[in-house]
């Protein structure tokens, strides 16, 4: 498995599933054009860009480039890398017909082409090259009261607001984002601050 430091931005869940089998990385879906109206998700992408950088990997069709241009205009371009897949005619197996432009999307291109696109973007590094860092775990979320408790949803909502993250992130979805945007020590400090605010 290849480790990638940057958060990878893809269009949809099938792209996400495809990449998750190839790389160890935080992968975020735009939901297609939904990203145009989802301010909270855009703010999350801005935070991820500042914390670790973004890699945009959209389809090579008109829609993919429209999403790519939107993100590049909404987020500091200096924090963004781009990976491009070539124009390959074809149809994904799960689809009844080819896309409007007849091109394979991220989910449909062969592994070697995806890996070459990532390499050309300058983001590949091996797992053993990544500096060790203590990870925030599900147990940490539980111990901090962010999951498994009566008031966990309320406390989690306060944390999400403090970090300017989307309010609908579940505890499971929150975990990889937390590990991307803050260190273990910063997480501990944040949760302590939240607990102090509750007691005052």
């Amino acid at each position: 498995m290849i480790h990638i430091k940057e958060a990878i931005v893809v269009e949809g869940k099938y792209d996400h599933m495809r990449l998750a089998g190839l790389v160890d990385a935080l992968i975020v879906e735009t939901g297609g054009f939904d990203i145009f109206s989802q301010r909270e998700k855009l703010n999350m992408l801005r935070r991820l860009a500042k914390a670790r950088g973004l890699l945009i990997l959209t389809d090579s069709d008109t829609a993919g480039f429209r999403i790519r241009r939107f993100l590049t205009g909404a987020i500091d371009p200096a924090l963004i890398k781009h990976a491009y897949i070539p124009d390959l005619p074809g149809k994904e197996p799960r689809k009844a017909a080819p896309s409007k432009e007849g091109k394979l999307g991220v989910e449909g291109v062969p592994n070697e082409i995806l890996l070459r696109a990532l390499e050309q973007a300058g983001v590949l590094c091996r797992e053993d090259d990544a500096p060790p860092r203590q990870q925030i775990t599900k147990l940490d979320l539980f111990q901090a009261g962010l999951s498994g408790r009566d008031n966990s949803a309320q406390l989690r909502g306060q944390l999400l607001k403090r970090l300017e993250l989307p309010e609908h992130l579940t505890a499971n979805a929150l975990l990889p984002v937390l590990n991307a945007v803050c260190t273990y020590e910063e997480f501990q400090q944040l949760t302590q601050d939240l607990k102090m605010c509750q007691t005052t």
Side-chain angles (χ1 to χ4, degrees):
M1 186 72 70
I2 296 172
H3 175 80
I4 293 180
K5 175 179 73 74
E6 290 84 356
I8 304 177
V9 182
V10 296
E11 293 180 53
K13 67 177 181 179
Y14 293 103
D15 301 332
H16 187 153
M17 291 163 56
R18 183 79 169 76
L19 276 180
L22 290 177
V23 298
D24 170 29
L26 174 61
I27 304 169
V28 182
E29 302 163 23
T30 67
F33 292 154
D34 289 351
I35 191 63
F36 297 166
S37 58
Q38 291 183 347
R39 189 183 65 186
E40 289 179 331
K41 183 173 279 190
L42 187 59
N43 285 338
M44 180 179 77
L45 289 175
R46 288 187 179 116
R47 284 189 63 85
L48 290 171
K50 288 178 183 175
R52 55 167 51 191
L54 291 184
L55 171 69
I56 299 177
L57 177 60
T58 57
D59 293 349
S60 58
D61 59 8
T62 303
F65 273 86
R66 185 176 170 198
I67 292 167
R68 193 184 289 270
R69 282 193 302 272
F70 171 79
L71 292 173
T72 306
I75 300 169
D76 183 355
L79 304 175
I80 296 174
K81 292 178 180 177
H82 293 272
Y84 299 95
I85 59 170
D87 291 338
L88 295 175
K91 175 187 77 68
E92 283 79 12
R94 70 177 180 87
K95 295 181 178 177
S99 67
K100 185 177 179 182
E101 296 178 32
K103 300 174 184 177
L104 286 175
V106 169
E107 67 169 287
V109 298
N111 288 353
E112 60 270 18
I113 291 179
L114 274 178
L115 291 173
R116 186 162 61 244
L118 295 173
E119 187 174 12
Q120 289 170 343
V123 295
L124 292 188
C125 67
R126 296 288 168 184
E127 183 63 45
D128 52 9
D129 293 335
R133 176 173 155 178
Q134 185 171 1
Q135 295 291 293
I136 304 160
T137 66
K138 286 185 177 182
L139 179 60
D140 293 317
L141 293 185
F142 176 75
Q143 290 176 337
L146 294 165
S147 68
R149 310 282 175 89
D150 290 339
N151 66 337
S152 290
Q154 179 186 1
L155 189 62
R156 197 164 57 246
Q158 292 172 12
L159 177 68
L160 291 170
K161 191 170 185 180
R162 180 80 64 94
L163 291 173
E164 297 180 338
L165 294 172
E167 65 178 332
H168 297 297
L169 277 181
T170 63
N172 283 339
L174 172 63
L175 196 57
V177 176
L178 281 176
N179 276 305
V181 301
C182 61
T183 64
Y184 186 84
E185 293 73 24
E186 289 168 342
F187 167 75
Q188 294 292 344
Q189 187 61 56
L190 273 168
T191 54
Q192 285 177 20
D193 291 348
L194 287 175
K195 286 177 182 175
M196 289 183 65
C197 289
Q198 284 191 320
T199 58
T200 55

